[in-house]
């Protein structure tokens, strides 16, 4: 079985400073891979090269066997990559249902109509997705007034709208109340496993990482220093040194 | 000198601090420890008025400051050194220091550029260099020096050792101890436990926007499970 | 061109560049620190000119009198700047940027009438500089000595600014605040005082720029908007917030314009091109090219993404059919009961309502603020007039084709505009409007130049005011309905989504730029329709239909009513048009009254009239329940 996402030898420098150097990993369908590391380790840079926001200096990013380096974010989305953002990005003036419908209309290529009324189509599909993330009861509220944890759920529903093969989640639980965090990630994990979606996520909350990830890779100063199952990573002396400081 | 009670704050609509309480006195270095994303920087920014306090109190020298604008807080003698340094890149070292300049105040050491160059010798040789053309360690020293130009009685240092080479970290520790020697109150946030052990008298551990531990550095050193749970992976 | 005339044109260009640099440096300085786009900056320049004129009369036409007058005028203008900052802007620093903009429009209106009151409507020609009235012979041509002095003043002021900014603590604070205002505050610097001082210095520069022009240019009431347009171009080309960039851009543009005049008329492949009439086109073309190649200007730096609107925007309510039908029925009944005057006023209001709704569409839901929306209104009006008079088409056909002409221009202009965002986008729209204006203004043989096109009357069956009233109601009503309908279509939702979160829009596959371009063309065509209907109702069309004043009128209508509601622009257009008409009949100083009304509204209802009323009703309801 080929991996859904395969990254080989990824490189990126900013003004002569290496931000990401020779990073390689793969994510399989239905697998949750956590990317962790201290501040400034290169997690965001790495992430942004996968979603099309940054173009790598070198390396290969394959989505289901096809190279996606150099594609725009919207082209990558069309190839089946859903995203959630560290700071939630939803359409504040639209209702929860309309947010999800927007993704569905876009997926179906039906946004260019000037005279039909938006919202007539895909209502049932949108409600189905909202039901999956537990947001159906708030479908008519504008996103601008939702609680933060609920926005994260809406984002998840939008990310699932194009039936993605890969889900990129940047700090999925940042800014949430502690008790909501594991619940959200459990939900994402359940949906991903059921739909055989590969998930790559970065995360600060170690409870979330160690309870939900199938595998963990650790980035420090742009390089992968460890990778493996949660117990393996927890026992790795390099990782402990990075997290507790001291002499590197 | 600094007393924080049950502080709550938000970034946009994200609830970051869930009731933080801590205190720090003059001549004392207090470390605020936690993994990244735990809320350390937000504590600093909320104390400084850069992030509005949604609830709770911040007392500085017996005065409530949680509703004051940042410039008023700074003028009361509370200095802030941000994590991302925020050096004015177009300004030279001397100009960066000039921006921080405030009149001397009672009960606080009066700093001059020359005194600061004695504390941070690396800076002395680059008075006219623009902030944008300095190394990370030099920028870190410059931001601390810039804040000290305001002659604060208490400084908030947000992750001063982050991303610095070991030798610079050592110098940084030396400088922080020098500030303590001058009678300043220092609250520093850190991920680096070893660095904190070298400089701090007391420590708090913050996780998910809540304080999980408060005690002496010695207590923390003797409690391996605490470190495992909140600081390691 | 000979070498001698080359040098002469170069000197001419440099002399013109001096004042342009001064006024732009002030604008750039103020924007860099406060992030306010000060539309009243050109008014300060104008006050400098008038002030110098009066002070020279008072102090005498001696070298001492002249130069003290220039300096005193500049300082006085600096104090006016301080007043504006302290009385108006300081109260609204936290308001959305668009309301700060609206407030500066209001200040423009007030200052214009203060000048009208104090100095009258006639152009005032100032004296030549005593002691410098002679000419210097260079390469056989005579150059006024004063021009040579101006050429020297530019670099001297640049040097003085450079010293002030790099050798003083104030300068360090200004440069630091331009980069990171918040950090400067956290170091104990009081922003309010810094802002006031920056306004003073920036205004002194504008005043000095004006005062120095007194021997070269008559003081007149049109200078405010003409100068602000030039200053916008220079600051944007140089890079917002960069004084050196402003200097470079002022020289580039000053010299390019001088060369156009120098080149004169050229015959290329049988076509006659009158370069001396293309100065404005060249100026704005330079800007368009620079912005597309270097979106942050020659020496500017990318700025943190900034939107010119309040966020997050609330949801749009669907207009109710009953509401619309009741209004329609009322309006259909008006000519039966009302007199001719009301009918004509309402016809005007219909045109401006469609104009305002189209502007609202692009700046509200589509999130792209336009400072030059009059381009499409005016081009539509001219297209209607010219299709009728020059192409000899029937009026009905001209009316239908005119919006397509405006839309065609929007295709070209929009392609450039959607590549930018925020203030730069707004400035580029202004640039395109000015290009259109100058082509229309200077192409005498085709457009009638400053006189415009006459005899643009509707066909006989529409000739009565009542018949035309119904035509205007039908066309403008249909246009508004179409725009509203589109707002609730998938396309309109995609635009709103892109405004709310460009990041998320891109992440769900929306080609935002393409959608914004389409929106540009749509609103361009409908603003053009408004212009065409307007042209036939007046029987003539003049360049003022494309002027900056026309564009700002539209902005005032939209902002007055409130960007965040659909009916806001309608209310804004109606109130503005009616109030202007009422005031203009009662007082010569209607602009000042209008400006004060707008200021009062800005300070009292920062969400606009309709938004403010809604919030008020909401509060009432909450109190009652």
């Amino acid at each position: 079985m080929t991996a859904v996402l395969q990254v080989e030898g990824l490189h990126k420098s900013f003004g002569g400073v290496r931000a990401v150097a020779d990073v390689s990993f793969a994510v399989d369908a239905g697998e949750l891979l956590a990317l962790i590391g201290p501040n400034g380790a290169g997690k965001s840079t790495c992430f942004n090269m996968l979603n099309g926001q940054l173009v790598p200096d070198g390396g290969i990013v394959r989505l289901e066997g096809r190279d996606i380096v150099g594609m725009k974010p919207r082209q990558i989305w069309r190839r089946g990559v859903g995203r959630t953002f560290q700071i939630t990005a939803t359409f504040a003036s639209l209702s929860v249902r309309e947010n999800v419908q927007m993704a569905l209309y876009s997926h179906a290529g039906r946004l260019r109509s000037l005279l039909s009324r938006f919202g007539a189509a895909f209502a049932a599909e949108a409600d189905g997705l909202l039901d999956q993330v537990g947001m159906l009861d708030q479908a008519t509220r504008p996103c601008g007034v939702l609680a933060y944890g609920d926005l994260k759920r809406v984002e998840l529903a939008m990310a699932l709208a194009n039936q993605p093969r890969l889900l990129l989640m940047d700090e999925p639980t940042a800014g949430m109340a502690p008790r909501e965090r594991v619940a959200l990630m459990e939900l994402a994990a359940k949906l991903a496993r059921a739909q055989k979606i590969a998930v790559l996520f970065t995360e600060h909350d170690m409870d979330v990482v160690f309870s939900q990830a199938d595998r963990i890779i650790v980035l420090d100063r742009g390089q992968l220093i460890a990778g493996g199952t949660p117990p393996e990573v927890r026992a790795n002396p390099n990782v402990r040194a990075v997290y507790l400081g001291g002499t590197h | 000198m600094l007393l924080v009670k049950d502080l709550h704050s938000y970034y946009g609509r994200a609830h970051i601090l869930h009731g933080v309480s801590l205190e720090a006195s003059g001549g004392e270095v207090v470390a605020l420890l936690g993994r990244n994303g735990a809320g350390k920087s937000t504590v600093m920014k909320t104390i400084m008025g850069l992030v509005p306090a949604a609830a709770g109190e911040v007392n500085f020298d017996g005065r409530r400051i949680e509703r004051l604008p940042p410039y008023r807080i700074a003028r009361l003698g509370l200095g802030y050194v941000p994590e991302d340094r925020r050096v004015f890149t177009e300004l030279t070292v001397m100009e960066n220091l000039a921006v921080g300049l405030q009149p001397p105040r009672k009960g606080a050491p009066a700093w001059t550029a020359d005194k600061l160059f004695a504390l941070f010798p690396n800076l002395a040789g680059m008075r006219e260099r623009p902030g944008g053309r300095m190394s990370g360690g030099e920028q870190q020293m410059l931001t601390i020096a810039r804040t000290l130009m305001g002659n604060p009685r208490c400084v908030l240092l947000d992750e001063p050792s982050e991303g610095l080479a070991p030798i610079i970290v050592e110098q940084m520790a030396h400088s922080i101890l020098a500030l303590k020697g001058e009678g300043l109150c220092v609250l520093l946030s850190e991920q680096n436990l070893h660095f904190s052990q070298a400089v701090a008298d007391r420590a708090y551990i913050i996780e998910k926007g809540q304080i999980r531990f408060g005690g002496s550095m010695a207590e923390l050193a003797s409690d391996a499970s605490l470190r495992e749970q909140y600081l390691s992976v | 061109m000979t070498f001698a005339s080359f040098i002469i044109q170069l000197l001419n260009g440099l002399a013109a560049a001096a004042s342009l640099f001064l006024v732009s440096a002030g604008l750039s300085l103020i924007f860099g620190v406060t992030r306010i786009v000060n539309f009243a900056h050109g008014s300060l320049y104008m006050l400098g000119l008038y002030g110098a004129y009066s002070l020279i009369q008072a102090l005498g036409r001696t070298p001492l009198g002249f130069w003290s007058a220039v300096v005193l005028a500049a300082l006085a203008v600096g104090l006016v700047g301080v007043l504006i900052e302290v009385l108006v802007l300081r109260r609204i620093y936290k308001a959305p940027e668009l309301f700060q903009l609206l407030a500066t429009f209001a200040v423009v209106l007030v200052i214009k009438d203060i000048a009208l009151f104090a100095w009258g409507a006639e152009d005032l020609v100032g004296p030549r500089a005593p002691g410098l009235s002679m000419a210097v012979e260079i390469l056989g041509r005579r150059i006024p000595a004063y021009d040579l002095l101006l050429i020297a003043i530019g670099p001297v002021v640049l040097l003085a600014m450079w010293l002030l900014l790099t050798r003083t603590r104030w300068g360090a604070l200004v440069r630091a605040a331009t980069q990171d205002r918040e950090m400067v505050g956290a170091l104990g610097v009081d922003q309010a005082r810094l802002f006031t001082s920056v306004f003073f210095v920036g205004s002194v520069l504008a005043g000095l720029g004006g005062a120095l022009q007194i021997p070269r240019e008559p003081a007149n009431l049109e200078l405010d908007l003409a100068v602000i347009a030039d200053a916008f171009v220079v600051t944007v080309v140089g890079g917002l917030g960069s004084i050196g960039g402003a200097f470079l851009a002022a020289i580039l543009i000053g010299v390019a314009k001088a060369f156009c005049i120098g080149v004169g008329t050229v015959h290329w492949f049988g076509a006659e091109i009158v370069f001396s009439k293309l100065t404005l086109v060249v100026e704005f073309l330079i800007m368009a090219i620079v912005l597309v190649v270097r979106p942050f200007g020659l020496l500017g730096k990318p700025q943190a993404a900034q939107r010119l609107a309040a966020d997050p925007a609330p949801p749009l309510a669907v207009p109710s059919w009953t509401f619309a039908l009741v209004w329609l029925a009322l309006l259909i009944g008006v000519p039966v009961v009302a007199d001719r005057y009301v009918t004509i006023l309402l016809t005007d209001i219909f045109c401006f309502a469609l104009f305002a709704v189209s502007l609202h569409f692009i700046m509200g839901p589509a999130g792209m603020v336009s400072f030059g929306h009059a381009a499409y209104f005016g081009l539509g009006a001219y297209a209607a007039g010219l299709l009728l008079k020059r192409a000899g088409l029937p009026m009905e056909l001209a009316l239908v084709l005119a919006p397509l002409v405006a839309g065609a221009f929007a295709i070209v202009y929009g392609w450039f505009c959607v590549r930018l965002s925020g203030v730069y986008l707004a400035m580029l729209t202004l640039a395109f409007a000015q290009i259109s204006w100058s082509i229309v203004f200077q192409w005498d043989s085709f457009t009638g130049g400053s006189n415009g096109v006459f005899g643009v009357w509707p066909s006989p069956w529409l000739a009565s005011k009542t018949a035309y009233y119904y035509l205007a109601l039908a066309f403008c009503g249909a246009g508004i309905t179409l725009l509203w309908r589109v707002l609730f279509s998938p396309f309109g939702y995609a635009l709103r989504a892109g405004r709310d979160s460009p990041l998320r829009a891109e992440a769900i596959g929306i080609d935002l730029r393409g959608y914004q371009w389409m929106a540009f063309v749509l609103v361009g065509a409908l603003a053009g329709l408004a212009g065409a209907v307007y042209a036939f109702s007046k029987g003539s069309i003049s360049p003022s239909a494309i002027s900056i004043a026309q564009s700002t009128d539209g902005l005032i209508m939209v902002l007055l009513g409130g960007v965040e509601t659909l009916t806001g622009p309608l209310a804004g257009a109606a109130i503005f048009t009616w109030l202007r008409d009422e005031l203009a009949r009662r007082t010569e100083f209607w602009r000042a009254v209008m400006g004060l009304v707008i200021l009062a509204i800005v300070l009292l209802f920062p969400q606009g009239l309709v938004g403010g009323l809604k919030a008020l009703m909401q509060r009432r309801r909450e109190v009652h329940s």
Side-chain angles (χ1 to χ4, degrees):
Chain A
M1 185 174 101
T2 58
V4 173
L5 176 71
Q6 195 157 13
V7 176
E8 281 168 30
L10 210 54
H11 271 277
K12 183 78 189 177
S13 302
F14 295 107
V17 181
R18 284 195 318 184
V20 168
D22 198 22
V23 166
S24 305
F25 60 86
V27 198
D28 287 330
E31 182 189 36
L32 272 79
L33 178 68
L35 171 64
I36 66 169
N39 270 352
K43 298 188 299 278
S44 309
T45 308
C46 205
F47 231 70
N48 285 334
M49 286 191 282
L50 303 183
N51 62 34
Q53 223 112 319
L54 280 177
V55 180
D57 296 339
I60 300 170
V61 181
R62 283 207 191 87
L63 185 69
E64 298 193 301
R66 294 187 57 178
D67 193 1
I68 58 166
V69 166
M71 285 189 188
K72 291 183 171 138
R74 64 169 185 271
Q75 295 167 322
I76 292 177
W77 179 79
R78 296 229 172 264
R79 302 209 173 274
V81 178
R83 289 167 67 189
T84 68
F85 297 97
Q86 179 173 1
I87 297 168
T88 55
T90 56
F91 307 128
S93 70
L94 310 189
S95 74
V96 168
R97 182 183 288 129
E98 287 167 344
N99 267 267
V100 179
Q101 278 175 303
M102 186 58 73
L104 291 163
Y105 267 83
S106 178
H107 184 51
R110 286 182 51 180
L111 278 176
R112 286 193 186 269
S113 160
L114 259 67
L115 293 176
S116 68
R117 183 75 178 260
F118 177 84
F122 304 119
E125 290 90 334
D127 285 358
L129 286 162
L130 288 174
D131 197 23
Q132 286 184 6
V133 300
M135 283 295 294
L136 189 54
D137 53 335
Q138 302 198 56
T140 56
R141 298 183 73 199
C143 273
V145 303
L146 290 191
Y148 199 72
D150 292 340
L151 281 178
K152 294 268 183 183
R153 290 168 188 272
V154 176
E155 272 210 314
L156 186 57
M158 291 173 86
L160 293 172
N162 65 334
Q163 295 153 343
R165 305 299 306 132
L166 171 69
L167 204 51
L168 296 174
M169 306 180 80
D170 192 4
E171 306 276 350
T173 74
M176 295 176 75
R179 61 182 178 283
E180 292 181 280
R181 296 184 182 200
V182 174
L184 179 87
M185 207 55 210
E186 252 167 17
L187 171 69
K190 191 186 85 187
L191 294 172
R193 289 194 180 111
Q195 300 172 28
K196 291 280 170 225
I197 301 169
V199 179
L200 175 69
F201 69 107
T202 63
E203 182 55 59
H204 281 140
D205 187 329
M206 292 302 149
D207 291 346
V208 171
V209 170
F210 282 88
S211 66
Q212 301 304 323
D214 297 310
R215 281 191 303 128
I216 300 171
I217 51 177
V218 186
L219 207 57
D220 184 40
R221 299 176 187 210
Q223 289 179 310
L224 280 187
I225 58 161
T229 61
E232 284 166 8
V233 167
R234 203 190 286 275
N236 187 314
N238 286 341
V239 178
R240 299 168 67 81
V242 164
Y243 270 85
L244 289 176
T247 49
H248 290 296
Chain B
M1 185 176 284
L2 183 67
L3 178 65
V4 176
K5 280 190 207 158
D6 196 26
L7 199 59
H8 287 256
S9 65
Y10 291 76
Y11 267 144
R13 296 221 309 288
H15 194 169
I16 306 289
L17 298 188
H18 301 262
V20 167
S21 301
L22 53 82
E23 57 181 313
S25 319
E28 180 184 44
V29 178
V30 176
L32 180 61
L33 296 164
R35 284 188 286 248
N36 52 6
K40 301 186 297 293
S41 292
T42 311
V43 171
M44 301 287 194
K45 286 184 180 168
T46 313
I47 293 174
M48 202 59 209
L50 296 169
V51 171
E57 309 181 1
V58 182
N59 293 278
F60 182 61
D61 266 351
R63 216 183 133 165
R64 294 279 290 269
I65 61 167
E66 73 273 1
R67 299 262 173 271
L68 295 183
Y71 86 92
R72 297 270 308 276
I73 295 174
R75 287 183 177 188
L76 290 174
L78 189 58
Y80 167 65
V81 180
E83 174 193 14
D84 42 359
R85 298 180 190 136
R86 295 167 79 165
V87 159
F88 303 117
T89 51
E90 314 262 295
L91 275 61
T92 64
V93 167
M94 289 304 285
E95 288 172 333
N96 266 282
L97 294 183
V99 174
L101 180 71
Q102 292 287 328
R105 76 185 79 242
K106 267 189 196 157
W111 295 96
T112 61
D114 287 333
K115 275 192 183 174
L116 287 167
F117 289 144
L119 186 66
F120 301 108
N122 296 25
L123 297 181
M126 49 181 75
R127 290 165 200 241
E128 298 305 321
R129 184 173 302 180
R133 290 204 277 121
M134 299 168 76
S135 72
E138 289 156 2
Q139 286 192 344
Q140 186 65 61
M141 295 184 180
L142 177 58
T143 35
I144 296 177
R146 183 179 67 182
T147 298
L148 291 176
M149 284 298 279
N151 305 312
R153 278 178 301 176
C154 178
V155 281
L156 311 174
L157 295 177
D158 199 356
E159 302 222 20
S161 79
E162 192 206 322
L164 302 185
I167 179 140
I168 308 284
V169 173
E170 217 166 283
Q171 285 180 31
M172 191 61 69
H174 175 78
S175 307
I176 290 172
L177 290 173
L179 297 183
K180 178 186 166 184
E182 296 271 1
L184 260 70
C185 154
V186 179
L187 176 65
L188 68 104
S189 78
E190 264 305 331
Q191 289 188 70
N192 186 330
L193 186 62
H194 292 261
F195 178 77
S196 310
Q197 279 170 337
V199 297
D201 306 302
R202 287 194 300 118
Y204 292 95
I205 291 179
I206 183 169
E207 197 212 30
K208 298 175 193 174
Q210 288 169 331
I211 298 287
R212 305 294 176 148
F213 165 84
S216 71
M217 249 10 245
E219 270 174 76
L220 182 59
S222 64
D223 190 342
S225 69
L226 203 60
R227 292 202 307 270
E228 280 302 304
Q229 192 177 356
Y230 296 119
L231 303 177
S232 186
V233 288
Chain C
M1 196 181 349
T2 64
F3 180 70
S5 65
F6 175 84
I7 294 295
I8 301 305
Q9 291 313 328
L10 189 67
L11 291 177
N12 268 336
L14 291 174
S19 277
L20 203 52
F21 162 62
L22 289 183
V23 66
S24 310
L27 185 70
S28 207
L29 189 70
I30 289 174
F31 177 83
V33 176
T34 64
R35 301 284 139 174
I36 284 186
V37 179
N38 182 18
F39 249 86
H41 205 69
S43 310
L44 296 173
Y45 172 98
M46 180 177 79
L47 283 183
L49 247 173
Y50 276 114
Y53 176 87
S54 294
L55 283 164
I56 292 169
Q57 285 192 326
L59 300 172
R61 295 189 177 189
T62 61
L64 179 67
F66 179 87
W67 291 108
S68 347
V70 166
V71 171
L72 285 176
L75 291 175
V77 171
L79 292 179
V80 173
V82 168
L83 274 182
I84 295 172
E85 199 275 335
V86 171
L87 293 181
V88 181
L89 298 177
R90 181 174 294 184
R91 290 156 207 283
I92 51 171
Y93 276 126
K94 294 222 167 99
E97 287 181 49
L98 281 174
F99 280 87
Q100 300 171 354
L101 199 66
L102 181 59
T104 66
F105 289 149
V107 172
V108 170
L109 294 175
V110 173
I111 290 183
K112 200 191 263 290
D113 270 1
I114 291 176
L116 174 64
F117 176 76
W119 289 284
E122 296 293 312
D123 287 11
L124 299 178
V125 181
R128 296 217 232 158
L132 286 169
S133 50
M134 68 297 208
V136 179
E137 195 158 306
I138 295 176
L139 297 170
R141 311 281 186 102
R142 293 167 63 77
I143 298 276
Y146 190 75
D147 281 12
L148 295 179
L149 182 78
L150 278 184
I151 293 175
I153 282 179
V156 166
V157 172
L158 179 66
L159 181 71
M161 285 297 295
W162 184 76
L163 288 174
L164 188 64
L165 285 172
T166 58
R167 292 286 182 271
T168 64
R169 175 161 188 264
W170 182 82
L173 291 182
V174 166
R175 285 185 298 139
T178 302
Q179 185 187 338
D180 188 345
R181 267 191 333 201
E182 189 186 62
M183 192 63 227
V184 171
L187 288 167
V189 176
D190 181 358
Q191 278 190 18
R193 281 177 57 187
L194 184 64
F195 282 14
T196 309
S197 65
V198 164
F199 251 89
F200 177 74
V201 174
S203 304
V204 166
L205 286 173
L208 188 61
L212 283 172
Q213 287 297 309
I214 191 75
R216 301 179 89 228
E217 177 175 28
N220 68 76
L221 293 169
E222 306 306 317
L223 280 172
D224 48 3
L225 291 180
V227 168
I228 195 66
D230 279 345
F232 279 166
V233 172
V234 170
T235 42
V236 166
V237 168
L240 280 168
S242 163
I243 306 284
F247 185 72
L248 214 64
I251 288 183
L252 180 68
I253 285 164
V255 171
K257 286 169 91 168
F259 274 104
C260 282
I261 296 169
V263 168
T265 309
V266 174
H267 294 272
W268 270 342
F269 308 111
E272 187 187 78
I273 299 173
V274 188
F275 271 93
S276 50
K277 290 191 169 182
L278 292 178
T279 52
L280 268 175
V281 178
V282 166
E283 172 179 350
F284 287 98
L285 223 50
I286 290 175
M287 168 166 166
I289 293 166
V290 167
L291 283 187
V292 169
V293 179
R294 285 189 59 96
F296 300 100
L298 294 174
L299 299 184
K301 297 208 171 58
Q303 262 147 15
Q306 47 176 329
R307 278 184 36 212
L308 273 174
D311 47 338
L316 272 183
V318 187
S320 99
W321 275 108
T322 2
F323 177 80
L325 289 175
V326 168
W327 270 100
L328 192 63
L330 283 175
L331 289 173
I332 287 174
V334 164
V336 182
V337 290
D339 61 5
R340 189 181 148 84
Y341 166 75
V342 174
T343 313
I344 293 174
L345 179 66
L346 277 171
T347 306
D348 282 3
I349 289 180
F350 297 155
C351 297
F352 290 128
L354 176 56
F355 177 53
V357 167
S358 69
L359 176 59
H360 169 263
F361 186 103
I362 200 78
M363 65 192 274
M368 296 183 285
V369 176
S370 169
F371 286 175
H373 203 55
Y376 312 103
F377 181 85
L379 286 168
Y382 267 94
L386 294 172
L387 285 170
L388 182 84
K389 303 301 285 187
R390 302 257 183 262
L393 294 186
M395 172 263 174
E396 294 82 356
L397 195 56
L399 181 61
V400 176
L401 288 181
L404 301 183
V405 175
F409 276 93
I411 291 177
V412 179
Y413 295 171
W415 187 87
F416 289 94
C417 291
V418 296
R419 262 139 244 279
L420 302 176
S421 61
V423 180
Y424 284 90
L425 163 68
M427 301 275 184
L428 191 62
T429 58
L430 179 79
F432 282 121
Q434 285 299 91
I435 290 177
S436 312
W437 178 84
S438 60
I439 291 174
V440 163
F441 191 82
Q442 295 182 328
W443 196 357
D444 267 326
S445 58
F446 186 61
T447 62
S450 58
N451 295 322
V453 187
F454 288 92
V456 189
W457 292 113
S459 295
W461 65 280
L462 290 165
S464 84
K465 292 298 169 200
T466 309
Y468 200 77
Y469 171 92
Y470 286 119
L471 176 111
L473 177 60
F475 271 71
C476 296
I480 292 168
T481 312
L482 174 69
L483 282 173
W484 282 358
R485 171 108 202 166
V486 171
L487 270 186
F488 292 92
S489 73
F491 172 76
Y493 265 79
L495 283 174
R496 279 148 69 185
R499 170 205 58 189
D500 285 356
S501 174
L503 187 67
R504 170 56 73 190
E506 178 78 27
I508 58 165
I510 297 175
D511 171 18
L512 189 56
R513 204 178 262 181
Y515 283 62
Q516 288 177 328
W517 192 21
M518 266 169 82
F520 230 93
V521 176
L522 177 69
V523 300
L526 284 162
L529 176 63
V533 174
Y534 187 70
F536 285 116
S537 82
K538 295 293 159 200
S540 68
I541 189 72
S542 78
S544 69
I546 315 184
S547 64
I548 304 177
Q550 180 70 35
S551 291
T552 54
D553 281 357
L555 282 165
I556 293 173
M557 292 171 197
V558 172
L559 296 174
L560 209 56
V563 187
E564 306 196 325
T565 58
L566 281 182
T567 42
L570 296 184
I575 293 172
F576 182 88
T577 310
W578 168 76
L579 195 65
R580 181 172 58 187
D581 200 72
E582 281 295 303
L583 291 173
R585 283 189 300 154
R586 284 180 186 22
T587 163
E588 194 186 350
F589 303 108
W590 61 272
R591 284 185 198 83
V593 179
M594 185 84 103
L596 292 172
V597 170
I598 295 170
L599 280 180
I601 290 170
V602 167
L603 296 175
L604 292 176
F605 302 100
Q607 301 134 306
L609 271 182
V610 174
L613 287 177
K614 277 195 174 165
L616 212 66
M617 271 151 57
Q618 183 88 29
R619 219 173 303 151
R620 277 242 176 115
R621 235 173 284 144
E622 275 162 19
V623 170
H624 284 294
S625 64

